[in-house]
Amino acid sequence: MNQRPVKVAVLGQGYVGLPLAILATEAGHQVVGYDPDEVRVASLTEGRSYVEDVSDVRLAAALLKGYKASTQPTVLSNFDVAVITVPTPLTEGVPDLSFVLAATDTVADFLRPGRLVVLESTTYPGTTEELLGPSLESRTGLVAGIDFHLAYSPERIDPGNPQFNLANTPKLVAGITTQSLSMALDFYSSIIEKVVPVSRPREAELAKLIENTFRHVNIALVNEIAMFAHDLGVDIWEALDSASTKPFGFMRFNPGPGVGGHCLPIDPSYLSWHVQKSLGQKFRFVELANDINDHMPAYVVQRLMEGLNERQVPLRGSKVMLVGLTYKPNTSDLRESPGLQIANRLDALGADLLYVDSHVPLTTQIECVSLSAETIADMDAVVILTDHDDVDYRLIEQCARYVLDTRRRCYGPQVERL
Ligand SMILES: NC(=O)c1ccc[n+]([C@@H]2O[C@H](COP(=O)([O-])OP(=O)(O)OC[C@H]3O[C@@H](n4cnc5c(N)ncnc54)[C@H](O)[C@@H]3O)[C@@H](O)[C@H]2O)c1
């Protein structure tokens, strides 16, 4: 660590806040994680991590070094740096900043002159300067940029990514003044390999939304092509392999059963909402991408019905195994997962469902099984929705009568792909 240790309060101990709190502890800072969720805090206090990127071993070491999770706001007292990493969902299609505002109020109660407040939650341009700053000012009587410092630094964490983690992914940092920027750069460069200064928070806020909108739109593009390609009798996967041999001007995205998680189904709509509200204009790309990606779970169900129909099996009463319920491989994150939507549709249509997903806690309504030759052979269909690495795809190929594979992990005459 190249800066002096400070007291860091991280508000929100989820997929973003917990890895940050642990990394800051490892770098020598005194860290408290404030989260009103009693179950999460109890789990952390007992040394059980619910975020894949933080192992129980790392959590135990952090606890020994003084990291403390708490539901009590008083743990924030005397903080030097407060980082807000709370959810920014859509409520009835509209950005819901109530969590950010609640966390801001908590910070305000303990904010003292000279301290730094950073927002990391994904949000529309202007939030830090127009919402967070005034909110802190009105609660404390202190002036943002003069009495206390304020910054925005979007999170780029990619849960389950074996190559890029919080420490080695470049981090954008923007302050509302030069001094706010300098303090935020000091803090983040003590824990992250490369920090990238941005001149104002609104550009950093937009940068994060550009990253996620880019991904959302490109996944929608390839999903739409996949649906056409199937009807045209063209193998989309081989076409993508072929296009990917171009060494410039092309970036590969793969089709899938839809998009999930806290980012893609939500963040682009923050931008389209903001554009509509501020400019009265529609962000047409986002609307189209939402439309296509939202349709994918229904498309997968339709393809399954067609595949079963060809095998003279009605969907109602058929035995269907869903492989991978989370929205992306090697994580336990079920939020907005298209797998759940597909399961609900199939259940409503009368399919007899089982699922295989070692990452998902056993709290879903569908029966969870471990993969075995007998269970696979007993199924009318196996549907690969998310391709976790711990699944034996060769066993599925060998034993299944019919596989609908949305991720291209299986091969063979009984396998149909998206
Ligand atoms: N998950 C990702 O991969 C990812 C990646 C980049 C950015 N983000 C963004 O980061 C933000 C947080 O996402 P997440 O995935 O960590 O969410 P999460 O739901 O995993 O965690 C958020 C935590 O905040 C807590 N919380 C709620 N209200 C609070 C309050 N008033 N004070 C303190 N804590 C409070 C919740 O109990 C929860 O534990 C969102 O804006 C999200 O868009 C997420």
Side-chain angles (χ1 to χ4, degrees):
M1 189 172 115
N2 50 12
Q3 273 79 29
R4 70 184 174 86
V6 293
K7 175 164 179 179
V8 181
V10 182
L11 290 94
Q13 292 294 275
Y15 286 89
V16 170
L18 182 60
L20 176 72
I22 300 304
L23 193 62
T25 306
E26 289 166 348
H29 295 297
Q30 182 202 339
V31 182
V32 292
Y34 165 67
D35 197 304
D37 185 326
E38 288 179 2
V39 175
R40 284 194 154 180
V41 167
S43 175
L44 293 174
T45 307
E46 288 160 16
R48 282 180 288 109
S49 170
Y50 38 77
V51 171
E52 279 84 0
D53 296 343
V54 173
S55 66
D56 287 352
V57 173
R58 273 183 80 200
L59 176 58
L63 287 163
L64 277 177
K65 279 190 98 174
Y67 161 71
K68 179 180 160 65
S70 176
T71 56
Q72 299 303 315
T74 46
V75 289
L76 270 77
S77 61
N78 295 321
F79 76 79
D80 297 298
V81 179
V83 188
I84 298 174
T85 67
V86 298
T88 44
L90 291 170
T91 299
E92 292 175 6
V94 173
D96 177 358
L97 290 173
S98 60
F99 296 94
V100 171
L101 288 172
T104 306
D105 285 351
T106 306
V107 169
D109 290 340
F110 298 92
L111 182 60
R112 297 189 306 166
R115 303 307 191 261
L116 172 68
V117 181
V118 187
L119 178 63
E120 285 210 7
S121 301
T122 307
T123 184
Y124 56 80
T127 306
T128 307
E129 286 157 290
E130 290 159 19
L131 198 73
L132 216 67
S135 173
L136 288 167
E137 287 178 337
S138 71
R139 294 263 313 195
T140 60
L142 300 172
V143 180
I146 295 175
D147 298 324
F148 69 94
H149 304 287
L150 185 59
Y152 181 74
S153 180
E155 186 44 66
R156 286 172 161 163
I157 205 158
D158 184 17
N161 187 323
Q163 189 185 358
F164 289 106
N165 53 47
L166 180 55
N168 69 5
T169 304
K171 194 141 178 33
L172 303 180
V173 179
I176 61 162
T177 59
T178 314
Q179 205 185 341
S180 291
L181 172 63
S182 151
M183 285 182 73
L185 288 173
D186 272 358
F187 168 62
Y188 281 109
S189 57
S190 73
I191 58 172
I192 283 166
E193 288 169 21
K194 185 173 181 189
V195 290
V196 182
V198 180
S199 58
R200 297 185 304 174
R202 62 193 58 222
E203 279 77 23
E205 288 159 340
L206 181 59
K208 172 70 187 174
L209 293 181
I210 291 173
E211 290 165 16
N212 284 353
T213 304
F214 173 81
R215 196 166 161 69
H216 185 52
V217 165
N218 279 288
I219 290 172
L221 174 68
V222 82
N223 276 338
E224 188 165 36
I225 296 173
M227 290 186 279
F228 290 147
H230 173 71
D231 291 343
L232 292 169
V234 181
D235 182 343
I236 176 73
W237 298 95
E238 191 173 354
L240 282 168
D241 291 344
S242 307
S244 303
T245 60
K246 187 179 178 186
F248 51 87
F250 180 77
M251 183 182 286
R252 180 174 184 146
F253 288 84
N254 288 322
V259 292
H262 191 313
C263 296
L264 296 199
I266 295 169
D267 300 348
S269 298
Y270 263 65
L271 192 50
S272 56
W273 176 87
H274 184 62
V275 168
Q276 177 74 48
K277 185 168 168 279
S278 307
L279 307 174
Q281 290 174 20
K282 287 189 183 306
F283 189 171
R284 289 164 293 168
F285 265 107
V286 169
E287 289 184 1
L288 184 60
N290 283 342
D291 189 36
I292 294 168
N293 287 335
D294 289 351
H295 173 63
M296 291 312 290
Y299 176 72
V300 171
V301 171
Q302 182 199 322
R303 285 283 305 275
L304 177 64
M305 276 167 128
E306 289 168 9
L308 286 169
N309 195 42
E310 277 168 28
R311 290 161 179 82
Q312 308 201 2
V313 178
L315 181 64
R316 179 170 294 280
S318 63
K319 293 181 181 174
V320 178
M321 176 189 280
L322 302 177
V323 178
L325 279 191
T326 60
Y327 82 96
K328 66 187 291 192
N330 309 324
T331 81
S332 60
D333 197 345
L334 281 171
R335 290 177 297 180
E336 316 281 333
S337 176
L340 292 181
Q341 292 178 47
I342 290 167
N344 287 338
R345 274 175 184 269
L346 291 174
D347 186 46
L349 290 166
D352 187 0
L353 297 177
L354 298 175
Y355 82 91
V356 173
D357 193 325
S358 64
H359 297 262
V360 172
L362 300 171
T363 51
T364 55
Q365 288 169 350
I366 318 166
E367 188 187 345
C368 176
V369 291
S370 46
L371 213 54
S372 73
E374 297 73 41
T375 326
I376 300 169
D378 192 37
M379 294 291 118
D380 294 300
V382 175
V383 187
I384 315 286
L385 295 174
T386 290
D387 52 338
H388 294 305
D389 289 336
D390 64 359
V391 172
D392 187 346
Y393 297 99
R394 304 294 76 80
L395 188 68
I396 295 174
E397 286 167 7
Q398 282 161 23
C399 305
R401 275 178 257 163
Y402 162 46
V403 181
L404 177 60
D405 183 2
T406 68
R407 303 289 183 176
R408 193 174 60 171
R409 287 297 282 253
C410 288
Y411 299 82
Q414 76 289 26
V415 177
E416 279 176 22
R417 300 218 182 97
L418 199 63

